[in-house]
Amino acid sequence: MSDSFSDKLKHFWHVVSNVRPIVWICLYISLMPIFAVIYDLMPDTQFRIPDGATTDFGSWLYYSIVTITTLGFGDYTPAHGWAQAVTAIEVMCGLVFLGFFLNSVGSMKSEIDIESEIEKQRRVHESSEYDKLMKNVPVLLHKLNIFLAYCYAVTTPESRRGAAGEFNPDFEFKDMSDLYLPSGIPTDHSSRPAVEGLMACASNTSLYLDSLQTRIDMTIWPDMLEDCFAFVAACQMFVSEDLLKGWPERKLKTSPAATLEEAIREISADIKAWSGPDESGKRMDMAPAVELYHFIKETGKLARNLELTATKLASK
């Protein structure tokens, strides 16, 4: 029973403390005319009234103000029971409301102090995470640039590749015709197919972005976090990597091609001649290339967004 009463009392005090100070001060002031009306309705014989003083509403409003503020000048005084009781009630109400007002002011100040401390900690946290991100930006930009370079190599025929080519997100399916030729990008000195370099780079970049999310609170930059998550998810959901690597060998077994180079040329010709992803249901053997097409479209856009966001943050 006592616990229940104590809980109710705590709840009541919590509610009272959360009322804004302006509300209590308005209620405190509103008591003055309310009690003035009560005094005005009471017989004048209940009070000792100074000689020559009036007993209109203005006089009782003055008496109410003097009473509730506990000034007590003594010119108007309660002389009998009812007047004394009402006057005492007004004084008590004034003290209670004034107490609630002061408590509310203290509660609001504590709330402001807490919010200020939280904001201070938030700024410190953001500054710390920003410093961490800035230390990783050079590596991040390097990985994204290499990934976009591989995207450019895979989606650009060898005859159109340049030393400083830039990935075009609006590439067509037929532009991937030379995906099995070496990439030719400055950082790739191997002779492996460009598509294999792209897959290896995508995996490496995905792992780095995933680790970045665990080491840095990326929720501070929600757009960047969303792009990182989408890039990692796209890499994890890509299932045609092995099929793409083994496509020339499979082509060699099912076509007149006598050598691996001839099989690669046939694949290139098929990609150039094919109408594209819209007809994917008619050529199941082209399914890996179709998935690669959509994969590069999505991850290439995400990589460019991440590159722009990281560059913008670093320039602040």
Side-chain angles (χ1 to χ4, degrees), residues 79-315:
H80 300 286
W82 281 110
Q84 292 172 343
V86 174
T87 300
I89 291 172
E90 182 177 14
V91 171
M92 292 301 297
C93 288
L95 291 174
V96 169
F97 277 40
L98 191 59
F100 285 158
F101 166 75
L102 295 175
N103 176 73
S104 183
V105 169
S107 178
M108 188 171 71
K109 183 180 182 303
S110 297
E111 183 180 320
I112 293 173
D113 291 342
I114 291 172
E115 290 178 353
S116 177
E117 182 62 27
I118 292 174
E119 177 63 20
K120 179 181 176 181
Q121 292 179 3
R122 185 189 65 79
R123 288 197 299 268
V124 170
H125 175 69
E126 286 187 358
S127 177
S128 174
E129 296 305 300
Y130 177 79
D131 291 341
K132 290 181 185 178
L133 180 62
M134 289 304 100
K135 291 178 182 179
N136 285 273
V137 162
V139 178
L140 174 62
L141 291 177
H142 177 67
K143 290 183 178 295
L144 292 173
N145 285 331
I146 293 177
F147 176 76
L148 288 171
Y150 273 112
C151 287
Y152 166 76
V154 172
T155 61
T156 305
E158 187 180 37
S159 60
R160 298 210 311 262
R161 293 178 190 171
E166 184 177 349
F167 168 64
N168 176 22
D170 298 321
F171 70 93
E172 297 180 1
F173 184 81
K174 64 182 179 180
D175 294 328
M176 299 193 305
S177 58
D178 290 337
L179 76 167
Y180 285 105
L181 297 182
S183 66
I185 64 176
T187 56
D188 186 4
H189 304 291
S190 67
S191 58
R192 63 182 175 179
V195 67
E196 290 188 15
L198 174 67
M199 292 295 98
C201 184
S203 177
N204 182 272
T205 306
S206 174
L207 288 173
Y208 184 79
L209 291 177
D210 193 36
S211 69
L212 201 65
Q213 297 177 62
T214 62
R215 291 182 284 113
I216 301 174
D217 182 9
M218 300 292 289
T219 57
I220 299 172
W221 307 280
D223 291 341
M224 193 173 186
L225 174 62
E226 184 178 350
D227 288 340
C228 286
F229 181 82
F231 189 98
V232 173
C235 292
Q236 292 176 343
M237 294 173 65
F238 189 78
V239 297
S240 296
E241 182 175 354
D242 292 337
L243 293 174
L244 285 167
K245 289 180 179 179
W247 195 2
E249 286 79 3
R250 294 195 307 275
K251 190 72 171 178
L252 189 61
K253 296 177 182 179
T254 59
S255 73
T259 64
L260 200 59
E261 289 72 17
E262 290 180 3
I264 290 175
R265 283 196 292 270
E266 286 191 19
I267 292 174
S268 177
D270 286 345
I271 292 176
K272 288 179 181 178
W274 197 46
S275 55
D278 293 338
E279 300 292 331
S280 58
K282 297 180 180 180
R283 288 283 301 273
M284 296 306 297
D285 59 317
M286 301 293 281
V290 171
E291 185 179 13
L292 178 66
Y293 170 83
H294 291 298
F295 174 77
I296 297 176
K297 283 279 187 181
E298 180 181 2
T299 55
K301 180 180 178 181
L302 292 170
R304 292 186 70 179
N305 289 343
L306 286 168
E307 185 180 36
L308 290 171
T309 302
T311 303
K312 185 177 179 180
L313 287 172
S315 64

Side-chain angles (χ1 to χ4, degrees), residues 19-30:
V19 176
R20 298 291 88 181
I22 187 66
V23 175
W24 290 120
I25 202 65
C26 288
L27 290 173
Y28 180 80
I29 294 174
S30 67

